PDB file of all heavy atoms in Angstrom:
ATOM      1  N   LEU A   3      50.023  13.690   7.193  1.00 98.00           N
ATOM      2  CA  LEU A   3      49.430  14.659   6.285  1.00 98.00           C
ATOM      3  C   LEU A   3      49.075  15.948   7.020  1.00 98.00           C
ATOM      4  O   LEU A   3      48.456  15.923   8.080  1.00 98.00           O
ATOM      5  CB  LEU A   3      48.168  14.045   5.669  1.00 98.00           C
ATOM      6  CG  LEU A   3      47.457  14.774   4.544  1.00 98.00           C
ATOM      7  CD1 LEU A   3      48.361  14.891   3.320  1.00 98.00           C
ATOM      8  CD2 LEU A   3      46.166  14.029   4.180  1.00 98.00           C
ATOM      9  N   PHE A   4      49.486  17.075   6.407  1.00 98.00           N
ATOM     10  CA  PHE A   4      49.176  18.395   6.937  1.00 98.00           C
ATOM     11  C   PHE A   4      48.487  19.225   5.854  1.00 98.00           C
ATOM     12  O   PHE A   4      48.784  19.076   4.673  1.00 98.00           O
ATOM     13  CB  PHE A   4      50.449  19.146   7.352  1.00 98.00           C
ATOM     14  CG  PHE A   4      51.230  18.506   8.460  1.00 98.00           C
ATOM     15  CD1 PHE A   4      52.112  17.462   8.192  1.00 98.00           C
ATOM     16  CD2 PHE A   4      51.111  18.955   9.769  1.00 98.00           C
ATOM     17  CE1 PHE A   4      52.848  16.872   9.210  1.00 98.00           C
ATOM     18  CE2 PHE A   4      51.841  18.375  10.791  1.00 98.00           C
ATOM     19  CZ  PHE A   4      52.715  17.337  10.519  1.00 98.00           C
ATOM     20  N   VAL A   5      47.595  20.116   6.268  1.00 98.00           N
ATOM     21  CA  VAL A   5      47.025  21.119   5.383  1.00 98.00           C
ATOM     22  C   VAL A   5      47.379  22.497   5.920  1.00 98.00           C
ATOM     23  O   VAL A   5      47.219  22.768   7.114  1.00 98.00           O
ATOM     24  CB  VAL A   5      45.483  20.983   5.268  1.00 98.00           C
ATOM     25  CG1 VAL A   5      44.876  22.209   4.584  1.00 98.00           C
ATOM     26  CG2 VAL A   5      45.106  19.718   4.502  1.00 98.00           C
ATOM     27  N   HIS A   7      46.699  26.607   4.814  1.00 97.00           N
ATOM     28  CA  HIS A   7      45.845  27.371   3.924  1.00 97.00           C
ATOM     29  C   HIS A   7      46.568  28.460   3.145  1.00 97.00           C
ATOM     30  O   HIS A   7      46.073  28.902   2.102  1.00 97.00           O
ATOM     31  CB  HIS A   7      44.680  27.974   4.705  1.00 97.00           C
ATOM     32  CG  HIS A   7      43.745  26.946   5.267  1.00 97.00           C
ATOM     33  ND1 HIS A   7      43.173  25.956   4.482  1.00 97.00           N
ATOM     34  CD2 HIS A   7      43.297  26.722   6.534  1.00 97.00           C
ATOM     35  CE1 HIS A   7      42.415  25.177   5.242  1.00 97.00           C
ATOM     36  NE2 HIS A   7      42.469  25.620   6.475  1.00 97.00           N
ATOM     37  N   ILE A 176      47.031  12.005  10.650  1.00 98.00           N
ATOM     38  CA  ILE A 176      46.568  13.382  10.478  1.00 98.00           C
ATOM     39  C   ILE A 176      47.467  14.310  11.277  1.00 98.00           C
ATOM     40  O   ILE A 176      47.566  14.206  12.501  1.00 98.00           O
ATOM     41  CB  ILE A 176      45.097  13.514  10.911  1.00 98.00           C
ATOM     42  CG1 ILE A 176      44.205  12.682   9.973  1.00 98.00           C
ATOM     43  CG2 ILE A 176      44.667  14.969  10.908  1.00 98.00           C
ATOM     44  CD1 ILE A 176      42.755  12.633  10.383  1.00 98.00           C
ATOM     45  N   GLY A 177      48.121  15.238  10.563  1.00 98.00           N
ATOM     46  CA  GLY A 177      49.115  16.095  11.199  1.00 98.00           C
ATOM     47  C   GLY A 177      48.545  17.322  11.877  1.00 98.00           C
ATOM     48  O   GLY A 177      49.131  17.836  12.833  1.00 98.00           O
ATOM     49  N   ASN A 178      47.409  17.824  11.391  1.00 98.00           N
ATOM     50  CA  ASN A 178      46.783  18.994  12.022  1.00 98.00           C
ATOM     51  C   ASN A 178      45.281  18.979  11.772  1.00 98.00           C
ATOM     52  O   ASN A 178      44.771  18.241  10.923  1.00 98.00           O
ATOM     53  CB  ASN A 178      47.423  20.314  11.567  1.00 98.00           C
ATOM     54  CG  ASN A 178      47.346  20.546  10.052  1.00 98.00           C
ATOM     55  OD1 ASN A 178      46.741  19.769   9.304  1.00 98.00           O
ATOM     56  ND2 ASN A 178      47.964  21.618   9.589  1.00 98.00           N
ATOM     57  N   ASP A 179      44.567  19.793  12.540  1.00 98.00           N
ATOM     58  CA  ASP A 179      43.108  19.807  12.445  1.00 98.00           C
ATOM     59  C   ASP A 179      42.618  20.299  11.089  1.00 98.00           C
ATOM     60  O   ASP A 179      41.486  19.985  10.684  1.00 98.00           O
ATOM     61  CB  ASP A 179      42.521  20.705  13.537  1.00 98.00           C
ATOM     62  CG  ASP A 179      42.581  20.074  14.921  1.00 98.00           C
ATOM     63  OD1 ASP A 179      42.955  18.884  15.019  1.00 98.00           O
ATOM     64  OD2 ASP A 179      42.259  20.772  15.905  1.00 98.00           O
ATOM     65  N   GLU A 180      43.448  21.051  10.393  1.00 98.00           N
ATOM     66  CA  GLU A 180      43.048  21.573   9.084  1.00 98.00           C
ATOM     67  C   GLU A 180      42.749  20.452   8.091  1.00 98.00           C
ATOM     68  O   GLU A 180      41.938  20.637   7.168  1.00 98.00           O
ATOM     69  CB  GLU A 180      44.139  22.493   8.531  1.00 98.00           C
ATOM     70  CG  GLU A 180      44.239  23.854   9.222  1.00 98.00           C
ATOM     71  CD  GLU A 180      45.157  23.857  10.426  1.00 98.00           C
ATOM     72  OE1 GLU A 180      45.327  22.777  11.057  1.00 98.00           O
ATOM     73  OE2 GLU A 180      45.701  24.930  10.746  1.00 98.00           O
ATOM     74  N   VAL A 181      43.389  19.292   8.260  1.00 98.00           N
ATOM     75  CA  VAL A 181      43.107  18.147   7.392  1.00 98.00           C
ATOM     76  C   VAL A 181      41.658  17.701   7.572  1.00 98.00           C
ATOM     77  O   VAL A 181      40.929  17.483   6.591  1.00 98.00           O
ATOM     78  CB  VAL A 181      44.063  16.979   7.700  1.00 98.00           C
ATOM     79  CG1 VAL A 181      43.701  15.754   6.856  1.00 98.00           C
ATOM     80  CG2 VAL A 181      45.512  17.384   7.445  1.00 98.00           C
ATOM     81  N   ILE A 182      41.217  17.591   8.820  1.00 98.00           N
ATOM     82  CA  ILE A 182      39.846  17.166   9.113  1.00 98.00           C
ATOM     83  C   ILE A 182      38.846  18.188   8.568  1.00 98.00           C
ATOM     84  O   ILE A 182      37.834  17.838   7.953  1.00 98.00           O
ATOM     85  CB  ILE A 182      39.664  16.991  10.630  1.00 98.00           C
ATOM     86  CG1 ILE A 182      40.659  15.964  11.168  1.00 98.00           C
ATOM     87  CG2 ILE A 182      38.233  16.581  10.951  1.00 98.00           C
ATOM     88  CD1 ILE A 182      40.734  15.914  12.675  1.00 98.00           C
ATOM     89  N   ALA A 183      39.157  19.472   8.782  1.00 98.00           N
ATOM     90  CA  ALA A 183      38.250  20.534   8.329  1.00 98.00           C
ATOM     91  C   ALA A 183      38.160  20.576   6.811  1.00 98.00           C
ATOM     92  O   ALA A 183      37.068  20.737   6.240  1.00 98.00           O
ATOM     93  CB  ALA A 183      38.728  21.882   8.868  1.00 98.00           C
ATOM     94  N   ALA A 184      39.300  20.437   6.131  1.00 98.00           N
ATOM     95  CA  ALA A 184      39.304  20.478   4.669  1.00 98.00           C
ATOM     96  C   ALA A 184      38.526  19.301   4.089  1.00 98.00           C
ATOM     97  O   ALA A 184      37.774  19.450   3.111  1.00 98.00           O
ATOM     98  CB  ALA A 184      40.736  20.480   4.144  1.00 98.00           C
ATOM     99  N   ARG A 185      38.680  18.145   4.689  1.00 98.00           N
ATOM    100  CA  ARG A 185      37.945  16.979   4.201  1.00 98.00           C
ATOM    101  C   ARG A 185      36.443  17.168   4.393  1.00 98.00           C
ATOM    102  O   ARG A 185      35.635  16.791   3.522  1.00 98.00           O
ATOM    103  CB  ARG A 185      38.425  15.720   4.926  1.00 98.00           C
ATOM    104  CG  ARG A 185      37.946  14.432   4.266  1.00 98.00           C
ATOM    105  CD  ARG A 185      38.427  13.205   4.990  1.00 98.00           C
ATOM    106  NE  ARG A 185      38.038  11.991   4.287  1.00 98.00           N
ATOM    107  CZ  ARG A 185      38.101  10.773   4.816  1.00 98.00           C
ATOM    108  NH1 ARG A 185      38.542  10.594   6.057  1.00 98.00           N
ATOM    109  NH2 ARG A 185      37.733   9.717   4.097  1.00 98.00           N
ATOM    110  N   ALA A 186      36.050  17.763   5.515  1.00 98.00           N
ATOM    111  CA  ALA A 186      34.633  18.023   5.767  1.00 98.00           C
ATOM    112  C   ALA A 186      34.068  19.026   4.754  1.00 98.00           C
ATOM    113  O   ALA A 186      32.942  18.878   4.271  1.00 98.00           O
ATOM    114  CB  ALA A 186      34.442  18.544   7.194  1.00 98.00           C
TER     115      ALA A 186
END
Side-chain angles (χ1 to χ4, degrees):
L3 188 63
F4 297 82
V5 168
H7 295 307
I176 295 174
N178 59 4
D179 286 353
E180 287 88 333
V181 176
I182 302 169
R185 193 180 184 193

